[in-house]
């Protein structure tokens, strides 16, 4: 297991500097945004990833847990604007997109990143 607090070796500076020169000064989001946007549009136009019933149920439970762990100053205005079920469904949707993103990364669908 690696120690994340250990300093990077000096020889990595050369590669980091080269990458920064080639990629420019923009944020990494600006650099990869078109790739992620294309993937996201494809996901939204298609069907959600296949899931076992137990996974779907777990995602629903997790969305409820996330909803009720929100701080009151965030949760209350959201509940004033949306019914509780709609808000839980939106959180579930966000989790589903995250799951699909992880699957796409594992399958190599986003290797251009």
């Amino acid at each position: 297991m690696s120690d994340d607090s250990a300093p990077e070796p000096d020889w990595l500076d050369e590669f980091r500097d080269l990458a920064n020169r080639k990629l420019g000064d923009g944020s990494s989001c600006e650099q990869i945004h078109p790739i992620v946007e294309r993937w996201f549009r494809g996901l939204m136009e298609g069907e959600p990833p296949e899931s076992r019933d137990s996974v779907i149920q777990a995602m629903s439970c997790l969305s409820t847990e996330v909803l009720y762990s929100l701080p009151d100053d965030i949760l209350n205005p959201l509940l004033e604007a949306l019914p509780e079920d709609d808000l839980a469904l939106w959180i579930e949707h966000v989790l589903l997109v995250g799951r699909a993103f992880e699957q796409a990364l594992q399958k190599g669908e986003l290797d251009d990143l």
Side-chain angles (χ1 to χ4, degrees):
M1 195 176 253
S2 68
D3 181 10
D4 290 336
S5 64
E8 291 182 348
D10 292 337
W11 58 267
L12 285 177
D13 293 344
E14 174 185 353
F15 297 102
R16 181 176 33 258
D17 293 344
L18 174 64
N20 288 337
R21 280 194 310 274
K22 293 292 183 184
L23 295 174
D25 294 329
S27 75
S28 59
C29 287
E30 289 172 357
Q31 295 161 9
I32 66 170
H33 181 269
I35 296 168
V36 174
E37 181 181 17
R38 234 181 351 265
W39 172 84
F40 183 74
R41 287 185 189 278
L43 177 68
M44 293 296 102
E45 291 170 2
E47 293 294 318
E50 288 289 321
S51 299
R52 297 184 321 270
D53 288 344
S54 60
V55 172
I56 294 170
Q57 184 179 17
M59 295 277 287
S60 179
C61 290
L62 180 58
S63 67
T64 302
E65 291 299 320
V66 168
L67 175 66
Y68 289 113
S69 66
L70 289 172
D72 287 342
D73 56 337
I74 294 173
L75 179 61
N76 292 335
L78 289 172
L79 289 175
E80 288 174 12
L82 293 168
E84 184 177 321
D85 289 345
D86 289 351
L87 185 54
L89 190 59
W90 178 77
I91 292 170
E92 190 173 340
H93 181 79
V94 170
L95 293 172
L96 181 64
V97 169
R99 183 168 179 265
F101 190 69
E102 179 185 15
Q103 289 175 345
L105 288 169
Q106 289 176 351
K107 291 178 183 175
E109 295 173 10
L110 296 167
D111 281 351
D112 290 340
L113 295 178

